[in-house]
Each structure stands twice: as structure tokens, then as C-alpha cells.
């Protein structure tokens, strides 16, 4: 008996400590632990299935860790497409998603052991550089910890999570009338829908983090074949400590998911380009590159830069062979096959959402080219288009001063200027100093390496297209892993040629830049005091009520209104947390409640239109945010319409709940 007492005591001690920890920090820690367990299960399932699918590409000379990396990337892509098909078929239910995951598990079962064993394949390489490895893991761990903060970022609550929630609530793809984002590519939102079906919006944020983590892994696995190990590991640290990447990776924004597809596509293409002769390797790497590029297009439109540039390279490669003389012309047919394969696979992978848009809206790339197609089902006018594209470029890179801004660009980017994105887009403005400072070294070192020279040319071309559009800096984050690989290689080459004194100065500069990035990351989270909820100082409702004016009323909607209720949200674009059908105010398109008020013949007729045409049973008003949005000119009431709107409180609505100065919830009579 005495021999068992230590074991019993240890078990009781562990249980007691767990209880105290949960009581103190369980508000964020317990949901985070559950989400982390679900994430591990999903990634393991995806990796097993992906490794099976990888066999079809017949890529050679892969290490076990590379097989797992490619497998989990393929598996996540297949999972997002599977969720899309379920939603398109009207079968997006908990049991169907569990069945889908079960099918993936069965398919990949034979690979599970190899997946687990492969995770330790690089431990010796990392053990030789303990400080660098520890720093990398600490940065990734800190970002993962921040995913446990309840979602509160603007765009995540405006459409990334509300769209996924709407699909989950209805069990199918539906048109969310107040969100033109309904008709955007949504591979990432399919993963978010999976997370919500499993009961965790924290898991949705962890999916974004996993995409950033996999991007770092791609840089490490394929980068160490291109550059020395020190440069590959340095590149990983640059990505993991880039402030914009850290901030976006801990949210339900899709940039890191696009970053994964772009990184995988470009590095796979580079691997193929090194071994492009058919006798050396089949076209597996090329097909993988095309597949990842297409998945990027199915996640966000601007990812189309990647397949466009890669296809252009392939077309130029074919033309050079086509018009060459002598035996060089013999390669022309094979090069044409390369280009055709890439185009076909990329188009097929990116097509599902474009086809859905063609069927539903009549424009496969809505809202772009809206004037070339006959639109249906959207209140889209030329004025709406002008408003949308003005907002998209509100923080334009250049407004008629392209050359002058080009000269100022490095300093502005390195300083985190809001010239390149304020408000919600500020998440992508921070942490670029080291990327800018290392640019000369990156380009110099790449020029001396044929394959890295190609990667540098891709980065420059991608940047040029992005710069010419004048959109926010957040959209350039997807280039961070590829560019960091070039920067780390360049810095290493400079280090090797430098004197001891210059090495000290250079190392100090890099260390200060990394420290600055981490400081900006902590500062950004201190603005909203995220540590309060992470450490148990605030509960989830307290945290969200402090940050979001509409949250107290949204909680009332979720807790007290019947499932069939539909809420008109006035003065607030963020609809997540309502848990009911709703239409929120939007600055991207005409607001239907404004049109109803203007067209009605009386206040009674206006209320009937709200109930009959809109289906609204309740109204949630957020005064302070409404005053801010009014600056976008969205409340275009006529004189009569404004009077009818103002008369709603005079007997046509009854107040159900009010948070003074913040929000009010009304029932619409009728």
C-alpha cells in the first residue's frame, strides 16, 4: 500500500493543480486547450490523407518531414474543398462534417504513424542551434497563445466569421444580402465554418495560425535545399517575428491562409524549375505548384498574381524554345505541355468559387468586371462600385505621385506609416523594417545564384503588380516567407564577407529590428489589453463588452430572441455574436432599410416593408458607430424618408434592452 501512496498523491496533486489553474485562468485557457486538441486532430487527419494524395504526383527524393508538410498542406486544401461541396449541396451539418473527417481519417490511417514520427525528423538540426530554435518556437508559441483571445478584429466580425456562421446556421451556402463579400472566394471561410461546427471560434483563429506555421515550415524544409541551414532558420525567424504576420496569424483574417498557398506554390515551382528535365523528374512539382496557386485564388482574388506570373514565365519559356534554332526547338513541345498542365490544374483548383459566382451572380469575379456581365440578385450600381473601390484604395499607395511615392516607399513602409492602411488594415502595416533594410543584401546575393535569382524576380514582379494597384500593405504580407528566405540568405553572405567589427554592428541591427517587431506585437495587444482575458482578469463577455459597443445587445439577441428572429443592425457593420439572421449596415452597397424608408408612403407602410420585405422582427441600434459610419455617406434619407425613420420610436417599436450610450435592442411591431 505504501508503494502506491506516492502515485496516488501525484495524481491528486495534478488534479488539484488543474482545478486551481482552470479556476484562475480557465476563461481563455480551457477553450484554448479544447481548440488546440481539435486543431491537432484536424491537422493529423489532413496530413495522413494528404500524404496518400501526394503519391499521385510522383514527386521524388522527399524526406519524411517533407512528405508530412506537403501532405498537411494538400489535406487542408482538400478539406476546404470538401466543406465547400457539402455547403453547396445543402448538407453542411455537424454529422456530415464529422463523417467527412472520419473518411479522411480512414483514408490516411496507414500514414498516421509516419506523420507522428516525421515531426521529430529535424530535431538534430534544431538541436545544433538551440538559441535560434528556441527563439523561433517562442515566437510561434506567443502567436498561438494570442489566438485564445476572443475574436474582436474588425473584418473578422464584419464578414469572415459572419459568413461562416450563416452557412453553419442554414446548413448550406446562402446569400447574405448586406455582405457583397458573400460572392468572394472563401476557401478560408470553409475552414472557419468547420471550426464553428465543432463549436469553437478560437479554432477558427488557430486555423489561421496553422497556415502561418506551415508557411514557416515550407521555408525551412524547402529553403534548406536552396540556402545554408543558418539562412533557412534565419528566414523562419524573420517570418515568425514579422509583426504583421504575428498579428494576422492570431485572428480570423485570411491573409495567412493566402500566404500558405502562395509560399507553397512558389517554392514548389522553384523545386520543379531546378529539375525541369523530364528524365530528372516528372511534372509532379509543377502540378503541385499549380494546385496550390489555384487554392490561393479560391481564397482571395489577389492571390491570382501568383498563377498569372508563373504562367507568364512558362509561356515565355515555351516561346524561347519555339523560336530557337537547331536542337533547342525540340524542347518546345515539352515546354508547351508544362504550360498547359499548369494552366489546367490551377484553373481547376481555383474554379469552384468562380463557378458558384457565375451561377449565383452572373459574374465569376464579382465585383470586378461588374460592367461586363449581366448581374442578378445584387443591388449593385455604378455608384456602389465606385464606393467599394474607393474604400479598397482609401489608403492608396500613390495618388498621382507614383514616382515620388516610389522613392519614399522604403522609409514609409519601414516606419509603419498609416499611409498604407489604417483602421482594420493597420494590422498589415507593422514589422517591415528588417525586410526593407535587408533588400540590398537579398538582391545582391540572389543575383549570384541562378535559382534564387528567379525567386527574386518573382518577388519584384509580385511587388510591382501590388504597388500598381495602390491597395493596402496587408495584401503584401503573403510575400513575406519567400522574401525572408532571400533576405536571410543575403544577410548571411554579407556576414561571411564582413570584418569582425562589421559583424557586431550587423548582428546588433538585426537584433534591434527583431526586438522592435516583437515590441510592436506586444504594443498592438496592449491597446486592447488582451492579457486581461488571457490571464483570467476578465471573462469573455466582459472583454467583448469593453471593446464592442454592440456586444451587450448582441448577447441579448443570442440569449433571448427566438431562433426564427431576424435583426436589422443599424449603425454597425459587425454582425458576429448575434447568433441570429440579421442584416447589418454596410458602407460597401446601398442599405435596404434606407431605400425602404425613402420609398414608403407612410411610417406604417415603412414598418410593413421592414416586416414583409425584409423579414425583420427586431432592430439593434449602435449610435456611436453610426456617427462614425455616417462620414461614408451611407444614410441617404430623403426628407420624407428621414421623417419616417425618426418616427419608428413613436409607437412602432418597443425597447427590449438598452446599454446606455452604446446600443439598444427594439422589437418591431406589426
Amino acid at each position: 500500500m505504501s508503494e502506491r501512496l506516492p502515485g496516488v498523491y501525484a495524481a491528486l496533486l495534478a488534479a488539484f493543480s488543474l482545478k486551481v489553474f482552470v479556476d484562475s485562468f480557465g476563461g481563455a485557457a480551457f477553450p484554448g486547450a479544447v481548440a488546440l486538441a481539435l486543431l491537432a486532430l484536424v491537422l493529423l487527419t489532413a496530413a495522413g490523407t494528404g500524404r496518400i494524395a501526394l503519391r499521385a504526383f510522383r514527386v521524388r527524393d522527399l524526406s519524411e518531414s517533407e512528405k508530412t508538410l506537403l501532405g498537411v498542406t494538400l489535406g487542408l486544401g482538400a478539406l476546404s474543398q470538401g466543406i465547400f461541396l457539402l455547403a453547396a449541396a445543402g448538407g453542411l451539418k455537424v454529422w456530415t462534417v464529422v463523417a467527412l473527417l472520419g473518411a479522411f481519417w480512414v483514408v490516411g490511417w496507414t500514414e498516421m504513424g509516419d506523420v507522428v514520427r516525421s515531426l521529430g525528423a529535424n530535431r538534430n538540426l534544431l538541436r545544433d542551434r538551440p538559441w535560434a530554435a528556441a527563439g523561433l518556437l517562442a515566437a510561434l508559441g506567443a502567436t498561438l497563445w494570442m489566438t485564445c483571445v476572443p475574436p474582436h478584429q474588425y473584418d473578422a466580425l464584419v464578414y469572415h466569421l459572419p459568413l461562416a456562421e450563416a452557412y453553419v446556421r442554414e446548413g448550406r451556402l446562402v446569400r447574405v444580402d448586406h455582405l457583397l463579400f458573400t460572392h468572394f472566394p472563401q476557401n478560408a471561410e470553409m475552414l472557419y465554418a468547420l471550426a464553428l461546427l465543432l463549436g469553437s471560434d478560437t479554432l477558427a483563429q488557430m486555423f489561421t495560425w496553422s497556415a502561418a506555421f506551415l508557411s514557416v515550415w515550407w521555408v525551412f524544409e524547402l529553403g534548406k535545399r536552396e540556402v545554408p541551414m543558418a539562412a533557412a532558420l534565419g528566414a523562419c525567424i524573420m517570418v515568425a517575428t514579422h509583426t504583421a504576420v504575428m498579428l494576422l496569424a492570431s485572428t480570423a483574417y485570411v491573409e495567412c491562409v493566402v500566404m500558405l498557398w502562395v509560399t507553397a506554390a512558389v517554392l514548389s515551382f522553384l523545386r520543379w524549375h531546378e529539375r525541369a528535365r523530364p528524365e530528372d523528374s516528372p511534372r509532379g512539382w509543377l502540378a503541385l505548384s499549380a494546385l496550390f496557386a489555384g487554392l490561393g485564388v479560391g481564397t482571395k482574388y489577389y492571390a491570382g498574381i501568383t498563377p498569372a506570373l508563373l504562367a507568364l514565365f512558362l509561356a515565355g519559356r515555351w516561346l524561347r524554345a519555339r523560336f530557337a534554332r537547331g536542337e533547342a526547338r525540340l524542347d518546345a513541345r515539352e515546354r508547351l505541355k508544362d504550360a498547359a498542365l499548369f494552366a489546367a490544374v490551377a484553373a481547376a483548383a481555383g474554379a469552384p468559387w468562380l463557378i458558384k459566382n457565375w451561377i449565383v451572380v452572373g459574374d465569376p469575379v464579382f465585383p470586378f468586371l461588374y460592367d461586363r456581365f449581366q448581374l442578378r440578385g445584387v443591388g449593385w450600381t455604378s455608384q456602389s462600385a465606385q464606393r467599394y473601390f474607393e474604400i479598397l484604395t482609401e489608403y492608396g499607395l500613390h495618388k498621382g505621385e507614383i514616382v515620388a511615392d516610389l522613392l519614399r516607399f522604403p522609409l514609409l513602409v519601414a516606419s509603419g506609416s498609416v499611409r498604407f492602411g489604417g483602421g482594420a488594415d493597420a494590422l498589415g502595416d507593422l514589422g517591415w523594417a528588417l525586410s526593407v533594410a535587408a533588400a540590398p543584401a537579398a538582391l545582391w546575393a540572389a543575383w549570384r545564384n541562378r535559382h534564387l535569382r528567379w525567386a527574386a524576380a518573382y518577388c519584384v514582379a509580385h511587388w510591382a503588380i501590388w504597388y500598381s494597384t495602390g491597395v493596402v500593405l496587408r495584401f503584401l504580407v503573403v510575400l513575406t516567407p519567400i522574401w525572408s528566405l532571400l533576405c536571410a540568405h543575403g544577410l548571411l553572405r554579407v556576414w561571411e564577407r564582413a570584418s569582425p567589427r562589421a559583424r557586431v554592428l550587423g548582428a546588433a541591427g538585426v537584433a534591434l529590428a527583431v526586438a522592435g517587431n516583437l515590441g510592436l506585437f506586444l504594443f498592438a495587444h496592449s491597446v486592447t489589453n488582451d492579457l486581461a482575458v488571457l490571464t483570467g482578469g476578465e471573462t469573455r463577455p466582459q472583454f467583448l463588452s469593453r471593446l464592442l459597443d454592440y456586444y451587450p445587445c448582441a448577447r441579448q439577441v443570442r440569449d433571448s430572441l427566438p431562433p426564427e428572429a431576424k435583426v436589422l443592425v443599424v449603425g454597425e457593420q459587425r454582425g458576429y455574436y448575434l447568433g441570429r439572421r440579421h442584416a447589418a449596415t454596410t458602407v460597401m452597397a446601398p442599405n435596404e432599410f434606407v431605400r425602404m424608408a425613402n420609398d414608403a408612403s407612410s411610417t406604417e407602410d415603412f414598418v410593413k416593408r421592414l416586416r414583409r420585405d425584409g423579414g425583420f422582427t427586431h432592430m439593434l441600434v449602435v449610435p456611436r458607430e453610426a456617427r462614425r459610419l455616417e462620414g461614408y455617406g451611407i444614410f441617404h434619407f430623403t426628407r420624407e424618408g428621414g421623417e419616417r425613420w425618426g418616427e419608428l420610436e413613436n409607437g412602432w417599436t418597443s425597447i427590449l434592452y438598452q446599454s446606455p450610450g452604446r446600443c439598444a435592442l427594439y422589437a418591431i411591431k406589426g
Side-chain angles (χ1 to χ4, degrees):
M1 181 66 179
S2 60
E3 295 178 356
R4 297 181 181 178
L5 285 177
V8 173
Y9 175 76
L12 291 174
L13 177 61
F16 177 76
S17 299
L18 178 62
K19 181 184 184 307
V20 172
F21 182 84
V22 170
D23 289 344
S24 301
F25 306 106
F30 183 73
V34 172
L36 188 59
L38 290 171
L39 178 68
L41 178 63
V42 172
L43 293 182
L44 179 62
T45 303
T49 302
R51 282 174 62 112
I52 294 292
L54 185 61
R55 297 173 185 175
F57 292 89
R58 296 193 300 157
V59 289
R60 302 172 182 171
D61 301 328
L62 290 179
S63 67
E64 286 299 311
S65 57
E66 286 178 323
K67 289 179 183 178
T68 297
L69 172 60
L70 269 71
V72 72
T73 308
L74 281 172
L76 283 177
L79 190 57
S80 69
Q81 297 292 286
I83 301 294
F84 167 77
L85 292 175
L86 288 176
L92 191 60
K93 308 292 183 182
V94 173
W95 72 267
T96 59
V97 168
V98 171
L100 179 65
L101 288 172
F104 272 48
W105 183 273
V106 171
V107 170
W109 171 253
T110 58
E111 296 289 322
M112 297 297 183
D114 290 335
V115 169
V116 174
R117 284 188 291 272
S118 70
L119 298 180
N122 291 307
R123 62 181 180 274
N124 290 332
L125 295 175
L126 296 176
R127 191 178 296 160
D128 292 339
R129 299 166 177 81
W131 291 107
L136 174 61
L137 294 176
L140 292 170
T143 306
L144 177 61
W145 188 37
M146 289 301 176
T147 63
C148 297
V149 178
H152 61 277
Q153 296 80 11
Y154 203 87
D155 284 4
L157 304 187
V158 169
Y159 71 98
H160 293 304
L161 290 175
L163 283 176
E165 186 181 47
Y167 302 151
V168 169
R169 183 170 54 248
E170 301 296 330
R172 59 190 176 90
L173 293 180
V174 293
R175 189 202 313 266
V176 182
D177 291 332
H178 69 282
L179 291 177
L180 67 91
F181 308 104
T182 301
H183 310 297
F184 284 19
Q186 294 172 48
N187 279 337
E189 281 79 2
M190 294 299 97
L191 296 177
Y192 298 162
L194 168 62
L196 297 183
L197 278 167
L198 296 178
S200 175
D201 51 21
T202 300
L203 177 58
Q205 297 187 137
M206 286 186 178
F207 275 131
T208 310
W209 175 87
S210 67
F213 169 76
L214 290 172
S215 298
V216 171
W217 195 359
W218 270 91
V219 169
F220 181 78
E221 287 292 350
L222 274 74
K224 67 187 181 185
R225 290 178 176 264
E226 308 295 336
V227 300
M229 175 58 66
L233 194 54
C236 293
I237 294 173
M238 281 188 66
V239 179
T241 60
H242 192 297
T243 311
V245 173
M246 296 181 77
L247 292 174
L248 291 167
S250 56
T251 70
Y253 278 40
V254 305
E255 266 65 37
C256 288
V257 182
V258 181
M259 182 174 74
L260 171 60
W261 304 133
V262 170
T263 302
V266 174
L267 290 180
S268 295
F269 194 92
L270 178 60
R271 186 76 174 271
W272 168 81
H273 184 232
E274 293 175 344
R275 309 175 62 187
R277 293 183 302 172
E279 60 270 23
D280 287 344
S281 175
R283 296 185 173 91
W285 281 108
L286 182 64
L288 283 169
S289 174
L291 178 61
F292 296 139
L295 288 170
V297 173
T299 305
K300 205 156 187 174
Y301 282 131
Y302 69 72
I305 294 174
T306 299
L309 287 177
L310 298 182
L312 184 63
F313 173 84
L314 290 171
R317 186 171 170 270
W318 168 69
L319 286 174
R320 286 196 304 271
R322 175 67 178 80
F323 294 103
R325 295 180 179 180
E327 294 184 0
R329 294 190 62 180
L330 297 177
D331 289 337
R333 179 173 296 182
E334 293 299 320
R335 293 186 176 191
L336 181 60
K337 290 180 181 179
D338 294 339
L341 173 67
F342 183 89
V345 174
W353 287 101
L354 307 186
I355 294 172
K356 174 259 182 187
N357 280 356
W358 183 284
I359 295 172
V360 175
V361 188
D363 177 0
V365 291
F366 178 85
F368 303 98
L369 304 181
Y370 68 93
D371 54 345
R372 303 293 180 89
F373 296 93
Q374 187 67 38
L375 300 182
R376 54 180 177 272
V378 290
W380 190 256
T381 64
S382 59
Q383 290 81 7
S384 302
Q386 182 179 4
R387 179 184 301 166
Y388 169 73
F389 290 113
E390 283 178 353
I391 291 172
L392 190 65
T393 58
E394 179 180 4
Y395 296 89
L397 304 178
H398 43 75
K399 298 182 183 297
E401 300 180 355
I402 296 179
V403 176
D405 279 350
L406 182 62
L407 297 175
R408 290 192 291 261
F409 176 80
L411 181 59
L412 290 173
V413 170
S415 64
S417 171
V418 295
R419 173 72 176 275
F420 304 108
D425 290 315
L427 294 178
D429 289 348
L430 306 176
W432 293 91
L434 185 55
S435 297
V436 171
L443 296 176
W444 167 74
W447 186 255
R448 304 169 63 85
N449 182 301
R450 183 168 67 92
H451 298 299
L452 292 184
R453 185 163 63 241
W454 177 89
Y458 172 84
C459 289
V460 171
H462 189 125
W463 174 86
I465 294 174
W466 166 82
Y467 183 81
S468 67
T469 62
V471 293
V472 295
L473 191 58
R474 176 163 55 93
F475 290 178
L476 196 62
V477 169
V478 300
L479 204 57
T480 301
I482 308 298
W483 182 245
S484 295
L485 186 62
L486 297 173
C487 289
H489 180 243
L491 291 174
L492 178 63
R493 290 299 179 227
V494 171
W495 169 274
E496 292 171 344
R497 291 169 173 252
S499 65
R501 181 175 297 179
R503 288 184 176 185
V504 171
L505 291 174
V510 171
L512 283 173
V514 171
N517 285 356
L518 296 175
L520 288 171
F521 173 70
L522 295 175
F523 170 77
H525 283 285
S526 71
V527 171
T528 51
N529 193 17
D530 293 345
L531 287 178
V533 69
L534 286 174
T535 58
E538 285 181 332
T539 64
R540 178 184 173 105
Q542 289 171 338
F543 174 78
L544 293 172
S545 295
R546 173 169 58 82
L547 291 182
L548 307 172
D549 277 359
Y550 81 99
Y551 181 77
C553 291
R555 193 178 183 195
Q556 282 295 122
V557 170
R558 183 182 289 269
D559 292 344
S560 63
L561 296 191
E564 64 274 12
K566 184 177 180 181
V567 183
L568 173 63
V569 183
V570 179
E572 175 61 75
Q573 297 190 92
R574 294 164 287 189
Y576 189 64
Y577 292 123
L578 268 74
R580 298 293 184 273
R581 291 183 304 138
H582 64 274
T585 301
T586 177
V587 300
M588 300 293 188
N591 287 280
E592 281 298 295
F593 70 90
V594 175
R595 182 189 62 80
M596 290 178 184
N598 292 339
D599 293 346
S601 58
S602 64
T603 304
E604 181 180 4
D605 182 38
F606 175 37
V607 173
K608 287 182 178 179
R609 289 172 183 251
L610 286 174
R611 298 279 304 192
R612 181 191 63 221
D613 300 339
F616 298 111
T617 58
H618 296 79
M619 182 171 65
L620 193 162
V621 180
V622 188
R624 185 161 56 181
E625 181 69 1
R627 289 192 293 271
R628 188 185 74 84
L629 296 181
E630 193 173 8
Y632 289 93
I634 60 175
F635 300 119
H636 289 296
F637 289 110
T638 61
R639 183 176 62 82
E640 295 81 3
E643 291 175 355
R644 296 176 196 119
W645 176 254
E647 291 172 358
L648 278 183
E649 293 187 22
N650 299 328
W652 298 102
T653 59
S654 59
I655 191 163
L656 300 180
Y657 175 82
Q658 186 172 21
S659 178
R662 306 188 70 195
C663 66
L665 177 63
Y666 299 87
I668 302 175
K669 297 181 179 180

